[in-house]
Amino acid sequence: MKHQETQQRREKIVRNLKVRQELGQGLDEAQAMLNAYLKERGMNHTPERDYILWVIYHLDVPFDVDSLHKLVCEEKALICRVTVYNNLLLFVEAGVVARFQPFVNGSQFFEKCVGQKPHGYQVCRRCGAIKVLSLSEILPHVEEQVHKSFHTSQICLYALGLCNNCYKEERHDVKLKQLAMKLEKENRANARLKKPTSRRKKRYTSIKEVIRDQELQALKEKRKKN
Ligand SMILES: [Zn+2]
């Protein structure tokens, strides 16, 4: 049940991403950083890798692996999910993509991070809706707190919670659960009341009843013998 719920929520979070041609800011710099990273480590330069990076830098929202894989498949059907995921991890290592985990179930989100304006997120932990927040006003204060000798690659700010719809849904779920618990408790109490009466020894109210029971008993024993 729990797994099914998580699966449903995951499916809800997989969003339809769209490549936006007018974007692409920071891509040249990110590609150069990636190339240098690969060269230093003697790793291969592949067209798939460059393509995935190109797609990422043409999105305007953070994304999860499944959404990105779905998009990449729609555009270029040959790349498998594992390749997409492994490349994402490599991009994070190379410092061209940032990763964050706003959800309790551990779903990971990624986004381009080279040449981007500092920003924060408002994330709904139920449906995964993400709204980008501008940090231009508060950022100078945050930067003041970061140590001068620290090499910052990303500053993040999340507002985690529930969107209005999910808040209503969650309250509804809680109420249903409470109702179910109350019913179960009542059923258990009823069952407890019934049991002793069935177990209790029969009480006779007249001598006739005793005789009738004795006769019945004798009849049963006679039948057994035959
Ligand atoms: Zn929501």
Side-chain angles (χ1 to χ4, degrees), residues 12 124-129 161-167:
K12 242 176 142 185
C124 174
R125 64 176 150 79
R126 199 174 160 105
C127 70
L162 291 168
C163 70
N164 244 338
N165 275 342
C166 290
Y167 180 77

Side-chain angles (χ1 to χ4, degrees), residues 27-203:
L27 177 62
D28 291 344
E29 201 187 329
Q31 185 71 64
M33 278 170 74
L34 179 68
N35 292 350
Y37 179 91
L38 295 174
K39 200 177 166 189
E40 256 183 13
R41 286 157 185 79
M43 291 168 83
N44 284 338
H45 200 268
T46 66
E48 284 89 3
R49 203 164 269 164
D50 292 350
Y51 177 70
I52 298 171
L53 191 71
W54 183 90
V55 170
I56 293 170
Y57 274 79
H58 285 82
L59 299 174
D60 59 349
V61 281
F63 52 87
D64 64 342
V65 191
D66 293 323
S67 314
L68 181 68
H69 179 234
K70 199 176 145 209
L71 176 69
V72 165
C73 282
E74 277 165 15
E75 308 254 326
K76 233 186 197 182
L78 293 167
I79 306 175
C80 71
R81 192 186 179 279
V82 178
T83 308
V84 171
Y85 185 63
N86 288 341
N87 273 300
L88 272 174
L89 295 186
L90 182 89
F91 295 163
V92 173
E93 279 281 324
V96 295
V97 162
R99 169 168 66 169
F100 60 103
Q101 272 174 289
F103 302 104
V104 217
N105 70 5
S107 299
Q108 301 178 59
F109 275 74
F110 300 85
E111 66 165 346
K112 55 188 175 182
C113 64
V114 176
Q116 307 305 310
K117 274 188 195 152
H119 50 267
Y121 307 104
Q122 174 190 299
V123 186
C124 174
R125 64 176 150 79
R126 199 174 160 105
C127 70
I130 296 180
K131 190 185 164 216
V132 178
L133 309 171
S134 161
L135 288 188
S136 50
E137 273 170 43
I138 61 163
L139 197 79
H141 304 288
V142 178
E143 278 171 336
E144 267 172 35
Q145 312 270 321
V146 181
H147 204 272
K148 294 261 183 311
S149 64
F150 187 74
H151 303 270
T152 311
S153 58
Q154 189 201 11
I155 290 176
C156 351
L157 184 135
Y158 311 127
L160 299 180
L162 291 168
C163 70
N164 244 338
N165 275 342
C166 290
Y167 180 77
K168 280 180 201 155
E169 267 179 38
E170 191 152 295
R171 291 320 303 159
H172 182 70
D173 285 358
V174 169
K175 271 185 193 156
L176 276 184
K177 207 170 175 182
Q178 282 174 345
L179 209 71
M181 267 157 59
K182 203 181 151 195
L183 272 176
E184 207 186 306
K185 212 173 161 186
E186 278 173 11
N187 285 344
R188 249 185 277 140
N190 284 341
R192 230 178 286 136
L193 277 178
K194 275 178 195 162
K195 266 182 201 162
T197 50
S198 60
R199 274 186 195 165
R200 210 182 291 151
K201 271 192 174 178
K202 198 173 177 181
R203 273 194 193 163

